[in-house]
Amino acid sequence: METDPNRWPGLTEAVAQQRLLDEGRNELPSSKPRGVLGTALDVVKEPMFLLLVACGALYLVLGDWKEALLLLGFVFLIMAITFIQERRTERALEALRDLSSPRALVIRDGQPRRIAGRDVARGDVLLLAEGDRVPADAVVLDAVSLSADESLLTGESVPVRKAPGEGDAPDAMGRPGGDDLPFVFSGTMIVQGRGVARALATGANSEIGHIGKALQTLIPEDSTLKKETGRLVRNLAILGAAMCAVVVVTYGLLHGSTAESWTQGALAGITLAMAILPEEFPVVLTVFLALGAWRISRNRVLTRRIPAIETLGAATVLCTDKTGTLTENRMTVARLWAGGSFLELEGSTAALPEAFHPVVEYGVLASQRDPVDPMERAIDDLGERALAGTEHDHAAWVLQREYPLSRELLALSRVWRSPDERQVEVAAKGAPEAIFDLCHLPEERRQDLTARVLQMADDGLRVLGVARAKVPPDGMPEGQHDFAFEMVGLLGLKDPVRATVPAAIQECYGAGIRVVMITGDYPGTARSIARTIGFQRPDSVITGPELDAMDDDTLKARIRDVDLFARVVPEQKLRLVQALKANGEVVAMTGDGVNDAPALKAAHIGIAMGGRGTDVAREAASLVLLDDDFTSIVAAIRLGRRIFDNLQKAMSYIFAIHVPIAGLSLIPVVAQWPLLLLPVHVVFLELIIDPSCTLVFEAEEAEQDVMQRPPRRHDAPLFGRRNLLLSLLQGLCVLGVSVGVFLYGRDVLEAGENAARGLAFATLIIANLSLIVTNRSRTLSAIRSLRTPNKPQWWVLGGGLSFLCLVLFVPFLQDLFKVELPQPLSLLGCLAAGASSVLVFEAFKAVMRHRGATSTR
Ligand code: ADP
Ligand code: MG
């Protein structure tokens, strides 16, 4: 099959763009984004909203217009905040969806070009390959063993064969299903072969567009974190409701059971409910993960399944392909072997000696014209340089037949006819063992050649054997084995290691992550590359055939000490994943082909290649690497750990700050003091301070040791007992200090209710801001944290302090918040008291630092 753009000119860019304008983009009318009304409806369903409205109504009953209006004003604020959060999350997810949507290879302006599936226009010439999703309804113009899975449209899971029709291609689509028809359909999958097709219908005009079934590319999934948070929220909500009821009843009874006392009691109860309501937890989780996905995408890694972000930080084994991920996949022919001697090509510009012409000649004949495969491109380039103008240049020859590479035989053959029809040549190339097989070499010749192969492999070269044959008189045989092949020589291809890989591997080792290389290449080549990139155990290798001979238990035991797997076919990756999982590892696995999909699905984190990966692999994976680079995976792991850390920090903070808020609304009721925190205070703290803190924690940089500690246990809860206790302790300290300040103001300074409340409120705000700073790091002191850059922090600190000043100094707000301006000296006291409320946690961190320092010594 020819993919020559001259034969299939395709559209020009200008025509394509015009068609996209006229006929619309190639996308299905997806579910409309929720409108303002939908979002408003969601807000109304929020418990916080209902509480605020209830509170406002109570104030109206009490005749407190100002308070009622203020609270209703907050209603608009929460609507705005919810709206902004949702839009932000939505937009981050949308951007990801766009990026992870299928890509299409088309010919535009006579050049093959990879574009987004939605940019395919009617009339575009599509190049289809195994693993692609067909981007539009199209008619097949040419094909090699092309078959497609059309189960999406027909429900029939057996792949259907596709073949170009005789004569001119039809210009109307037929129906899906049925073998040997020339039609392929948008959304279906090419499971085998290659083909060229012309798009006839796109977008809503396609078969799948008629059915109106949207292809989902981002799969929503409940993660363990989400479940855990759900449980936490439920428990806190039950606790809140119970305490709320207790408060209402206690207050009502204690204050003489009048209508007035019950209304006041209800107000106190609702205040407490607002204080305990754990609505931030799920919000924080959604926002952190969505923004996390966005952050990871800036490292050229797309997240297709959000829960993968939390698993990333727990990964213990990273299984990676060699070609293209660890190496650049930019091959050059570095060495030749023919007629008993080697020829070094690297750095040499001398003309190719005649004795080496055939190995290049047949290498070229065994490759595609204008090849895409980097190996074939290297051979083709060498051919152009060395053979142009010689009698070994066969640019005018016509392809007769092709025998593809298979899992059983790692070699392929192509049959060519000269223009004068006098010569027919068969050229084969492939893994040396496979070529030796095809040539039926005697044992000693085979051993001799194997020694040459080893010599090249030891230098990190990928070795291909090249062979030639004549077509037997009785015509073209069924399989490659039926030709009488004759050995021509060996090609050694060099694929440079990516420069950043050795450092990334060391980073993995430092982070307690094992790196496993899985390759289809020769064991010697794998070993040499492993040594170059600094593998800890580059010597022991298990090969695909050995793997086949092993039972699961042996594999499970052996896989503990072996990091190299060579001559492995994609189907075997699944067994490797399962063996690793059986050993309790958390597995990340890369892959690109159709056959990699099961392993990608089975791994905890499946990572597909965006550059050379197929759509099947991408759809099975949870992450997609846009640049196929190993270093990006490590960067994503680092980010995953950071995101998880920050999530933990934010949750700790939120939990901690709720303790004093709840305590300050509860204690006065029980102790029969005047109410200390009124709804406005709670709402202010909850609605303004909390969400903005989320921004601070979300933006927090990774701790210095993120990649120097072992992976987090996969099943470790986000909020273990230790964290819970630490948070509780932090919260109790703040509560104690605030209550202390209130009592001191009331009883010692005899300042009056509003002045004492002002002092307590100021202390609480300062303590709150201190809590944020101290929770930013679990290792650094608060002072160090303050000096570590974090932009939102300054907004929150500045905003919080300015607002506190406004409340204390502006009479109108003083009135609303029921506070009085305290003495300057006592205000300073609040500042000190509030800041000192986090000293316990600071001391704890200092002890841990000290211990860490002595234990690593
Ligand atoms: P990797 O895991 O390194 O990407 P592959 O699975 O792509 O390896 O290839 C495995 C082996 O199959 C190669 O080492 C080579 O011997 C053979 N092979 C792959 N592609 C071709 C090709 N286009 N022509 C000949 N042989 C090939
Ligand atoms: Mg490959």
Side-chain angles (χ1 to χ4, degrees), residues 26 120-121 126 133-138 173 184-187 199-203 206:
N26 179 30
V120 171
L126 314 167
R133 274 233 183 262
V134 180
D137 286 5
M173 290 297 292
V184 286
F185 295 87
S186 178
L200 291 186
T202 59
S206 64

Side-chain angles (χ1 to χ4, degrees), residues 385-575:
R385 262 200 328 264
L387 301 181
T390 69
E391 81 273 16
H392 305 284
D393 181 355
H394 302 304
W397 285 28
V398 184
L399 183 65
Q400 295 287 286
R401 170 129 189 206
E402 193 174 336
Y403 296 85
L405 197 76
S406 69
R407 154 174 192 176
E408 290 72 31
L409 187 68
L410 287 177
L412 57 84
S413 307
R414 315 186 97 215
V415 185
W416 295 87
R417 183 165 44 87
S418 63
D420 56 11
E421 312 219 344
R422 279 225 292 272
Q423 260 177 299
V424 180
E425 292 280 346
V426 188
K429 71 173 187 334
E433 319 89 277
I435 293 294
F436 299 166
D437 251 9
L438 288 180
C439 295
H440 306 286
L441 290 183
E443 191 50 36
E444 66 268 33
R445 183 85 203 287
R446 185 184 283 251
Q447 271 171 15
D448 179 49
L449 280 169
T450 304
R452 309 284 160 234
V453 172
L454 272 174
Q455 232 173 313
M456 291 211 239
D458 274 345
D459 292 333
L461 298 181
R462 164 176 282 198
V463 188
L464 289 185
V466 178
R468 60 189 278 186
K470 293 280 178 215
V471 174
D474 51 347
M476 220 80 86
E478 262 315 295
Q480 302 181 66
H481 273 294
D482 304 321
F483 288 109
F485 275 110
E486 167 193 336
M487 191 74 203
V488 179
L490 300 171
L491 295 163
L493 293 132
K494 189 181 166 89
D495 183 10
V497 165
R498 286 178 188 263
T500 47
V501 163
I505 301 256
Q506 288 316 311
E507 191 170 357
C508 286
Y509 286 150
I513 301 166
R514 213 178 119 191
V515 186
V516 169
M517 184 201 288
I518 300 176
T519 176
D521 219 334
Y522 196 71
T525 314
R527 217 179 272 134
S528 162
I529 301 272
R531 225 170 274 132
T532 314
I533 58 181
F535 261 47
Q536 277 170 344
R537 301 179 290 194
D539 294 315
S540 33
V541 184
I542 293 181
T543 65
E546 285 167 5
L547 203 62
D548 271 339
M550 256 178 229
D551 62 32
D552 287 343
D553 287 332
T554 322
L555 177 60
K556 196 177 145 196
R558 290 273 277 129
I559 206 168
R560 283 183 223 269
D561 326 297
V562 180
D563 293 336
L564 283 183
F565 295 84
R567 280 288 186 250
V568 164
V569 290
E571 289 84 350
Q572 293 174 317
K573 285 186 176 178
L574 181 60
R575 273 193 76 203

Side-chain angles (χ1 to χ4, degrees), residues 25-43:
R25 296 201 172 265
N26 179 30
E27 53 195 356
L28 301 178
S30 59
S31 54
K32 287 244 164 56
R34 248 173 341 148
V36 181
L37 206 71
T39 312
L41 212 72
D42 270 2
V43 172

